[in-house]
Amino acid sequence: MTKILDDLAHPTDNGIVVFVSGFLFILSIYHFFLYFQHKDKSYLYYSLYAFLVFIYTYHRAPHFILTKYSERFLPYLKLLYDPIKWLYSIIYLYFAISFIELKHYNFKWYKIVKKFAYFALSGLILFTVISILYKNFKIVEIAYNFVFLPSILILSVYLLYVFWKTDSPVKKYLVIGSGTFLVLSGFSHFLTYTGHPFRVIFYFAITFEIILFALGLGKKQKLILEEKNKWQSMIIDQHEQNLKMKDLLARKLDKEVAKKTQTIIELLKENEAEKRKKMALEYSKQILKLRMQALQSQMNPHFLFNSLNSIKHFIIHNNQKDAIAYLTKFAKFIRKVLDFSYVGEVSLKEELDMMRLYLEIENYRFNQELSYSFSIDETVDLSSIKVPPMILQAFIENSIWHGLAMKNNDKKINIAVKKNKNYIFVTITDNGIGRTKAQEIKLSKSAILNKESLGIKITEERLKAYTQNRKFKSEILITDLTNKQNQASGTQVTIKIPLK
């Protein structure tokens, strides 16, 4: 047993250093290529961390083939021991916050760690340059041992607690790996300073840590893949349900038209003029109602298709948290859309609540860059005013995607409601790029974009159908807004809905 411990006490002679160095080198190269496959910065930081530890350790074994081929550079490399340790400690911080996704779970500590890493990197560069100018690397050694090392140790110990308190599913890999490394490497240094060197503990610690990090990256990618499959399955199911709903309404329309047509034919045959007139009026109302349902069944797939594309975008870019948040809002919105699909009208209050939810959903797609507001006249009783469901959505969508999407910042949209004796006025105002500029951009792109006006056309037709039998007619007014320099400063859409 004593002989085994004695052999292990000299890792440079028993091949342990060669094994660990080769292992680190292979892992660094492997995960460097994985970064290009998964586009996750955790892989890049992990690769760089493993490679720097490899540079720090490989030349300690005199018989290692890489040591022989880099023999003339070793004196310079040994001067850079402390800068290398300094640098791989900084890279570890970047890897840890990226791996654990600290920005999502604890934004406060994410900012603290980023600032510490920035100042640590600046200090490394400063002391290394001073050491080179004065040709005295004791300067950077002292700065490392008495400034940086105590700071990074204290921060690392507390960060383990911070990481453990997060809800990250891979936190245990980071906490156990880093915690084991801190304890064992500290014990190894203690034995060395007390005259009982047992450096094999350090090499075991770094190997154990690097293996756990690699397992954690694999676990993280597995979870992302499972989440992707889950959301894709839900999207497909939702799309199939929407198609079924559209087919159901179409069949209902055909059935009702055939039924009412047959009724009119029978009435004509009976020559019952009064009854025929009454039934024809009823028939007209039914056809009008079914026509609105058919238009609405076209409107719903148009909006759903755009929203499903947004969820697909979040998933493709591994944005799991935003995809979950977006889909939660989207599912709530879908339930409302399905409820509205079976009614001919809703209160203006319900319609505005739907639009508020819709703007929240769209704001996720714009990374919370949209600023929206509602201005309601106090004299308007929203609950008593009836409008066709989803009558505002297409205009708001048009403002966002053709007016505001092209701006870099200050994206605002306002929805105002006013009333007079005969009309209710709903005004949608944005500070976008204006219709002229939007049309120029639209024409310069693929012809597929010409389908974007489908939602507006369907909405106009629905509004006409809804107010067909009223004394006053509906109207949609579009005004191009300009600033004092006569430059386009947005668009205003006013929807006039007759009350009688």
Side-chain angles (χ1 to χ4, degrees):
M1 185 65 178
T2 304
K3 186 177 183 309
I4 293 175
L5 292 176
D6 187 56
D7 289 339
L8 290 175
H10 302 86
T12 56
D13 299 329
N14 57 29
I16 290 177
V17 173
V18 174
F19 171 78
V20 173
S21 297
F23 183 61
L24 289 169
F25 180 76
I26 291 172
L27 283 180
S28 68
I29 298 300
Y30 175 65
H31 284 84
F32 177 74
F33 287 109
L34 283 181
Y35 164 71
F36 294 100
Q37 180 179 0
H38 299 301
K39 302 300 181 183
D40 186 342
K41 287 186 179 179
S42 302
Y43 288 94
L44 186 61
Y45 293 137
Y46 176 88
S47 172
L48 186 55
Y49 175 68
F51 185 74
L52 287 172
V53 178
F54 159 74
I55 294 296
Y56 177 71
T57 60
Y58 85 90
H59 56 278
R60 299 176 184 273
H63 304 298
F64 192 17
I65 186 171
L66 293 179
T67 307
K68 294 180 180 180
Y69 281 109
S70 60
E71 201 166 6
R72 58 177 175 167
F73 301 109
L74 293 183
Y76 304 102
L77 185 61
K78 290 178 181 179
L79 290 175
L80 296 174
Y81 269 178
D82 293 300
I84 289 174
K85 291 189 291 182
W86 196 321
L87 183 58
Y88 75 58
S89 297
I90 295 173
I91 298 301
Y92 163 79
L93 291 178
Y94 279 103
F95 165 75
I97 62 178
S98 175
F99 174 75
I100 207 79
E101 294 182 346
L102 190 61
K103 184 177 182 180
H104 295 304
Y105 295 110
N106 194 326
F107 188 70
K108 174 185 174 182
W109 269 99
Y110 169 79
K111 290 171 64 177
I112 292 174
V113 175
K114 289 278 284 190
K115 286 183 180 179
F116 178 87
Y118 172 78
F119 286 116
L121 186 59
S122 301
L124 169 62
I125 296 172
L126 175 64
F127 286 113
T128 303
V129 170
I130 292 174
S131 298
I132 293 174
L133 291 176
Y134 286 93
K135 298 181 180 179
N136 182 5
F137 273 82
K138 281 289 183 181
I139 296 174
V140 72
E141 180 183 348
I142 293 172
Y144 173 79
N145 288 326
F146 295 99
V147 179
F148 177 73
L149 186 58
S151 303
I152 191 68
L153 282 176
I154 294 172
L155 179 64
S156 297
V157 170
Y158 193 77
L159 277 180
L160 292 181
Y161 170 76
V162 173
F163 293 155
W164 188 255
K165 296 296 288 184
T166 69
D167 295 326
S168 173
V170 294
K171 63 184 179 183
K172 61 181 180 182
Y173 294 94
L174 185 65
V175 174
I176 295 174
S178 298
T180 302
F181 174 76
L182 285 174
V183 172
L184 293 183
S185 61
F187 183 60
S188 175
H189 282 86
F190 172 77
L191 291 177
T192 300
Y193 290 136
T194 56
H196 304 85
F198 202 66
R199 293 290 293 172
V200 70
I201 296 177
F202 171 79
Y203 291 104
F204 171 79
I206 194 66
T207 303
F208 180 76
E209 180 192 49
I210 216 80
I211 288 174
L212 272 190
F213 288 173
L215 291 174
L217 285 170
K219 175 71 172 181
K220 184 179 179 182
Q221 198 56 42
K222 179 184 176 183
L223 292 173
I224 290 173
L225 183 60
E226 290 176 350
E227 207 63 37
K228 279 184 180 179
N229 293 335
K230 175 183 176 182
W231 296 129
Q232 286 176 350
S233 177
M234 292 180 66
I235 289 170
I236 292 171
D237 291 343
Q238 186 62 58
H239 183 62
E240 289 177 350
Q241 289 180 19
N242 187 64
L243 291 176
K244 290 179 181 178
M245 181 184 72
K246 183 178 178 180
D247 291 341
L248 179 64
L249 288 173
R251 289 195 299 270
K252 181 180 178 181
L253 175 62
D254 292 340
K255 183 178 179 180
E256 290 294 328
V257 168
K259 181 179 178 181
K260 296 300 179 182
T261 301
Q262 183 62 35
T263 302
I264 288 181
I265 292 173
E266 293 175 356
L267 289 174
L268 287 172
K269 289 180 178 179
E270 295 174 3
N271 198 24
E272 297 178 5
E274 190 62 32
K275 191 174 182 179
R276 182 173 66 245
K277 181 179 179 181
K278 182 178 178 181
M279 291 301 296
L281 181 61
E282 184 66 20
Y283 171 79
S284 177
K285 290 181 179 179
Q286 290 290 337
I287 290 295
L288 184 59
K289 179 181 177 181
L290 294 170
R291 179 186 171 197
M292 288 178 63
Q293 289 180 342
L295 289 170
Q296 191 169 333
S297 73
Q298 296 175 43
M299 187 67 193
N300 293 341
H302 171 76
F303 167 73
L304 295 177
F305 178 80
N306 290 341
S307 297
L308 293 175
N309 273 340
S310 292
I311 299 174
K312 177 182 177 183
H313 172 79
F314 284 132
I315 293 174
I316 288 175
H317 289 82
N318 288 336
N319 199 339
Q320 176 185 348
K321 185 177 180 64
D322 285 344
I324 294 171
Y326 185 95
L327 195 61
T328 300
K329 296 281 186 184
F330 178 66
K332 182 179 178 182
F333 190 83
I334 288 300
R335 287 195 297 270
K336 289 286 187 182
V337 171
L338 292 175
D339 290 341
F340 282 7
S341 297
Y342 296 97
V343 296
E345 59 183 17
V346 295
S347 70
L348 186 54
K349 181 182 184 305
E350 292 175 302
E351 176 69 6
L352 292 176
D353 289 342
M354 279 286 286
M355 293 306 102
R356 188 175 282 105
L357 180 57
Y358 171 68
L359 284 165
E360 290 177 13
I361 293 172
E362 290 288 43
N363 215 1
Y364 267 97
R365 297 163 76 181
F366 281 83
N367 296 320
Q368 305 298 328
E369 293 179 354
L370 292 179
S371 175
Y372 55 88
S373 60
F374 289 77
S375 305
I376 313 298
D377 193 321
E378 295 180 355
T379 63
V380 178
D381 182 4
L382 298 177
S383 299
S384 65
I385 297 172
K386 302 298 182 180
V387 295
M390 297 287 285
I391 201 69
L392 304 179
Q393 185 270 331
F395 298 102
I396 297 175
E397 179 184 22
N398 208 48
S399 289
I400 293 173
W401 286 100
H402 297 292
L404 300 176
M406 307 302 176
K407 293 190 68 177
N408 293 327
N409 50 43
D410 190 31
K411 303 175 181 180
K412 296 180 179 179
I413 186 168
N414 174 261
I415 301 171
V417 179
K418 293 184 179 181
K419 175 187 175 185
N420 66 15
K421 184 178 180 181
N422 300 317
Y423 285 94
I424 189 77
F425 299 88
V426 181
T427 303
I428 301 166
T429 307
D430 67 70
N431 65 340
I433 63 174
R435 288 191 297 172
T436 302
K437 186 65 177 177
Q439 184 66 18
E440 291 174 2
I441 295 173
K442 179 178 175 182
L443 292 175
S444 67
K445 296 184 178 180
S446 169
I448 295 174
L449 292 177
N450 291 329
K451 295 182 179 178
E452 292 173 345
S453 61
L454 176 63
I456 296 292
K457 291 179 180 178
I458 293 174
T459 302
E460 290 176 342
E461 194 170 348
R462 290 175 61 215
L463 190 57
K464 287 180 182 178
Y466 180 75
T467 59
Q468 180 173 317
N469 294 325
R470 297 192 178 185
K471 179 179 179 181
F472 299 97
K473 299 302 179 185
S474 63
E475 190 175 1
I476 298 174
L477 304 174
I478 301 178
T479 306
D480 296 312
L481 305 178
T482 56
N483 56 22
K484 294 180 180 179
Q485 291 76 34
N486 203 31
Q487 296 174 334
S489 61
T491 306
Q492 185 178 82
V493 178
T494 301
I495 305 167
K496 296 175 60 177
I497 305 173
L499 296 174
K500 52 186 177 180

